[in-house]
Amino acid sequence: MSAKDLILSSLEKEPQIESAYGFAEKNKLAYDNSFIGAIRSLDAAGIIISEMKKVTKQTVSANAEDVLKNGSEEFRLFNLIKKEGTPKAEVEQLPFYRTGFAEAMKLKLIKINGPNLVRIVDTFEDSIQKSLKEVLGGRAATKNEEVIFKRRKFLRQETITDYILKQGPSFNKRSKPVANLTAEMLLNGSWKDANWKEYNFNALGVYPKGGSRHQLSKVRMNFKNIFLEMGFEEMKTDMYVESSFWNFDSLYQPQQHPARDAQDTFFLNEPATTSSADMNPDYVARVKKVHTTGDFGSIGWRSDWKVEEAQKTILRTHTTAVSSRTLAKLAADAIAKGEPFKPIKCFSIDRVFRNETVDQTHLAEFHQIEGFIADRNIGLPQLIAVIKEFFTKMGLPDVRFKPAYNPYTEPSMEIFAYHPGLGKFVEVGNSGVFRPEMLRTMGVPEDITVIAWGFGLERPTMISYGIKSIRSIFGPKTDLDFIKNSEICTYGI
Ligand code: PHE
């Protein structure tokens, strides 16, 4: 409790506080400027009346405490001096020696005999200790005692400003402690004398309502955790703008493929092309060869291949461009170091862009969950097993596969998962085994197989949260309240 509160609650019970000083001492509060400030401000508000009184107060010195406990200096010294004599050197270093010696000589208790001190009287009664005890116990000091005590610095006199406190005219009208500072209080100055409420540092506080995670973010976190749990490494996905080379050509996607039309892909005007800094010329030449005349046992697409087409900048249409960059780098590094290609599992979750007609379930941008495993002695069975495992972890154990076509995988499979809420299978992704035309061209050794897949993030999120239109959680029509309040559907992933 603050000084103010203590004073007020005491004045509720007792008519007055005799001594503010004594009150502070009893309540273990410092009798300092802030305590006196509390009295003054209560008085100024008419809540209490304070009557000032100067009091002199005696405080006992450490010296006196010592005398009370152990006897006066002369008494203690006298007890050490023998009748036959005690060498002065034996007692000279004692802390009470100086005063003890002076007083004992004055009282003729001892005398000096050569190097010794000799006791002159047989007994000595410690009258100093006795009178100090009595005076501190309440007996008025005689004039003589006052002089002695002063000389021996037993007592200290202090004049302090004390107060008698009683209820003031506004005591019962006093306001509840104020908790909020208002503009009005600042203007009229009442903040200075307000009865401020104390801080309660043990209060729990208000739980903040804002700052919930976006549904896409929550599902993304789930996917990410599953990948990490299964031992996958995350790939760097910080390039929304990609070259056609990495997005298509490196994946053995022919330059005449319809996906490379402006109807499907966003091409950039500025810069419309990219320099080939991250396109190693040898690798580019090998890509050209595999596309046009074929390589590694393949007859190729047998169509034109122009580097200018590969240099066109686009918004990446899939994160398979990220897998492609990663694999090409791993292969090149292994070759440069002369080390065997190390098996690896990688994933990424990030945005891709497609020039699509926007409707309830399609946006021109969405998120892809991409992954691949590069290892020896793996193939379709491992791809099926891994995807099943993945969707089981997501709460959708019923997975089906359908043969499909991708220019860069053979075989390829579309993935369907049973959605209990809808009571039917829905397409959740695409997958396959990367073709040798892609991998061997990069320098991935022949005995390494890469199984890969891409899932959408939006579909599973919409299923999980029972969202009908993708536009209600993404884009300019986002419903912020829905994002803030939505709970995961009970039947969801
Ligand atoms: N890139 C494909 C898509 O966008 C998904 C995929 C990735 C397919 C890897 C096979 C292998 O749908």
Side-chain angles (χ1 to χ4, degrees), residues 455-471:
F455 316 134
L457 176 67
E458 280 73 2
R459 256 302 160 77
T461 306
M462 286 170 76
I463 296 169
S464 303
Y465 289 92
I467 297 160
K468 283 205 189 74
S469 170
I470 186 66
R471 285 175 289 189

Side-chain angles (χ1 to χ4, degrees), residues 59-129:
T59 50
V60 181
S61 68
N63 196 16
E65 303 266 14
D66 198 25
V67 170
L68 279 174
K69 208 167 134 213
N70 303 313
S72 66
E73 290 90 336
E74 57 272 34
F75 177 75
R76 273 182 276 170
L77 182 66
F78 174 77
N79 283 338
L80 296 175
I81 308 302
K82 298 189 188 97
K83 239 187 175 156
E84 321 74 81
T86 300
K88 194 175 164 210
E90 247 175 48
V91 292
E92 219 164 30
Q93 298 304 324
L94 294 165
F96 51 83
Y97 176 80
R98 259 176 78 100
T99 314
F101 177 75
E103 296 295 326
M105 289 296 282
K106 220 184 325 175
L107 291 167
K108 300 202 167 17
L109 303 175
I110 56 172
K111 65 171 189 194
I112 303 169
N113 186 6
N116 292 335
L117 294 177
V118 178
R119 202 185 249 211
I120 309 171
V121 295
D122 288 335
T123 53
F124 165 60
E125 197 196 327
D126 193 358
S127 59
I128 292 287
Q129 188 194 41

Side-chain angles (χ1 to χ4, degrees), residues 252-300:
Y252 194 55
Q253 186 145 335
Q255 293 198 332
Q256 295 73 23
H257 194 277
R260 299 179 70 154
D261 282 355
Q263 282 85 354
D264 291 306
T265 300
F266 289 116
F267 286 85
L268 264 74
N269 290 331
E270 186 68 52
T273 57
T274 174
S275 73
S276 42
D278 58 353
M279 289 156 58
N280 175 301
D282 292 343
Y283 174 46
V284 173
R286 288 200 303 273
V287 169
K288 179 174 180 160
K289 181 166 183 236
V290 79
H291 277 250
T292 51
T293 60
D295 210 348
F296 313 106
S298 165
I299 59 165

Side-chain angles (χ1 to χ4, degrees), residues 223-237:
F223 274 107
K224 180 170 171 169
N225 286 339
I226 292 172
F227 274 121
L228 293 174
E229 229 175 78
M230 289 169 77
F232 281 76
E233 289 171 37
E234 191 164 10
M235 295 181 280
K236 212 171 131 207
T237 51

Side-chain angles (χ1 to χ4, degrees), residues 251 317-320 323 352 354 366 368 370-371 406 408-409 412-413 429-434 451-455:
L251 286 161
T317 63
H318 54 187
T319 39
T320 315
S323 298
V352 299
R354 288 186 197 172
F366 61 98
Q368 266 193 336
E370 190 86 20
N406 292 311
Y408 39 89
T409 50
S412 310
M413 303 184 299
N430 192 348
S431 64
V433 181
F434 279 139
I451 55 178
W453 56 86
F455 316 134

